[in-house]
Amino acid sequence: MTSDVRHGAISRRSTLALASMAVGLGTGGRATRASDYPTKPIRIIVPYTPGGTTDIATRLVAEPLSRVLGQPVVVENRPGANSILGAGVAATSAPDGYTLVMVLPAHAANATLQAGRLPFDPLAGFAPLSLVVSAPLVLAGSKHVPAATLREFLDHIRAHPGRVNYGSSGIGATAHLAMEMLQLRTSLRMEHVPYRGTQPALQDLMAGNIGLMFDTYSTLKPQFEAGNIRPLGIATMARAPFAPELPTVNEGSGLTDFAASSWCMLLAPARTPEPILERIAAEVRTIVQDPAMTRRMQDLGFVVEGRPPAETGAFLRAEVERWRAVIQAANVRVE
């Protein structure tokens, strides 16, 4: 081989190498980062206080996720403004897979409730990662209302329009919007009493200051078992495997398709590389669908999901539209 031929071969190899480097630089080096991921601790922001549904679900997933990824997965609670504060931190973080956020349906509702006021776009500002679990809502009634079943409660409300109060953990919470949806579907009229969190509302339900409230099964179960409140129905199409004795809301109301759930969804900042999203989503799916973990989550009133990014994104868009319709029909406004 002549020196000119050798020089030409080397030049071509150099050109290819430079082109490859340019592609890497043009994408911010994401291909390299995705292939090496993770090389440092990952944080999952929970935009709520410790001990709630979102926090519990996140911590259940974080510990085994840390083991399989070989890096610490740290749960960071950033409560405030109905999840807006914590979600905002995630939205403005680097799209490198090292900051994630676990959101509830309030994230979908905020798209309508806070339209034009949010510091981020609830859809475009994030990359869907995984719908981890859902938690069907359960309707609980006060012992101080002269009714024992859901049908009797509904009859009592119809006979006393506007005189029965219901509580929720706050305006725009899933428990609030689910009750608004129930009123729209049954032509009932009740007064909403918003609280700063679930526990104050639950205390007032036990005291008889409100008549009804929706919340997750894990939250209400101890008071059901103690006889302090009445279990009236679960907002699912079929009875739940973790509470087969509990009738559905449809059974007690005459409706046929009433369903409402809270859920926990992992999101990443927009433009996070797809290989990273797919890797985390696959690991989360394996974790939650492990039989031991599934049983543990079912005991807490969760339904295991573990959906991939594409399905998660479609689900989130559908939830935004679903709750937008309820918010607009019920004229729900934040103060």
Side-chain angles (χ1 to χ4, degrees):
M1 183 181 295
T2 67
S3 60
D4 287 343
V5 172
R6 286 198 303 272
H7 178 73
I10 293 171
S11 295
R12 284 192 296 274
R13 287 198 297 271
S14 299
T15 300
L16 288 171
L18 287 171
S20 178
M21 287 174 63
V23 169
L25 290 171
T27 59
R30 288 181 189 169
T32 302
R33 290 203 300 270
S35 63
D36 294 340
Y37 179 86
T39 60
K40 62 181 182 180
I42 301 158
R43 67 170 173 168
I44 302 178
I45 295 173
V46 172
Y48 298 97
T49 54
T53 299
T54 320
D55 186 68
I56 290 169
T58 305
R59 292 179 189 278
L60 281 173
V61 170
E63 194 273 333
L65 187 61
S66 175
R67 288 201 306 269
V68 297
L69 293 180
Q71 291 289 341
V73 177
V74 180
V75 177
E76 182 179 312
N77 296 92
R78 288 286 193 97
N82 200 25
S83 82
I84 294 172
L85 193 155
V89 172
T92 56
S93 295
D96 54 11
Y98 291 100
T99 297
L100 313 174
V101 61
M102 186 80 87
V103 298
L104 281 177
H107 182 80
N110 282 337
T112 302
L113 287 171
Q114 301 285 353
R117 298 191 295 268
L118 288 173
F120 54 82
D121 186 313
L123 291 173
F126 298 89
L129 203 158
S130 177
L131 177 63
V132 182
V133 294
S134 56
L137 295 185
V138 174
L139 187 58
S142 169
K143 294 193 307 179
H144 300 272
V145 174
T149 66
L150 176 54
R151 193 171 299 277
E152 291 175 357
F153 262 84
L154 298 183
D155 289 342
H156 177 78
I157 295 166
R158 287 192 183 96
H160 303 85
R163 293 175 57 187
V164 177
N165 296 334
Y166 75 91
S168 78
S169 56
I171 296 173
T174 319
H176 171 210
L177 299 181
M179 196 71 82
E180 292 291 348
M181 184 166 66
L182 182 63
Q183 289 186 97
L184 290 168
R185 299 286 302 281
T186 57
S187 300
L188 296 175
R189 185 161 63 86
M190 294 182 283
E191 294 297 322
H192 178 217
V193 181
Y195 292 82
R196 288 182 174 272
T198 296
Q199 289 306 314
L202 186 54
Q203 290 297 319
D204 265 7
L205 183 69
M206 291 188 286
N209 296 324
I210 56 174
L212 291 164
M213 68 179 286
F214 270 115
D215 216 285
T216 58
Y217 184 68
S218 60
T219 298
L220 301 172
K221 182 181 177 182
Q223 303 308 327
F224 287 153
E225 293 176 341
N228 293 327
I229 55 176
R230 291 187 172 125
L232 300 179
I234 186 165
T236 50
M237 298 302 293
R239 295 196 180 197
F242 53 79
E245 76 289 348
L246 187 60
T248 67
V249 170
N250 289 321
E251 290 177 62
S253 66
L255 300 173
T256 58
D257 59 354
F258 184 89
S261 292
S262 184
W263 38 257
C264 296
M265 179 184 292
L266 266 180
L267 302 176
R271 299 180 302 281
T272 299
E274 286 189 17
I276 290 177
L277 299 176
E278 296 290 347
R279 166 87 188 279
I280 299 173
E283 299 294 2
V284 168
R285 182 183 182 90
T286 299
I287 288 167
V288 298
Q289 293 187 353
D290 174 79
M293 180 64 79
T294 296
R295 286 192 299 271
R296 189 175 178 186
M297 288 188 159
Q298 287 179 341
D299 288 344
L300 293 170
F302 291 120
V303 174
V304 165
E305 301 282 356
R307 299 192 197 183
E311 287 185 25
T312 298
F315 179 87
L316 179 56
R317 290 190 294 273
E319 286 287 277
V320 168
E321 293 306 315
R322 178 191 193 201
W323 294 122
R324 175 178 288 133
V326 172
I327 290 164
Q328 292 175 344
N331 196 29
V332 176
R333 299 180 183 277
V334 293
E335 298 175 355

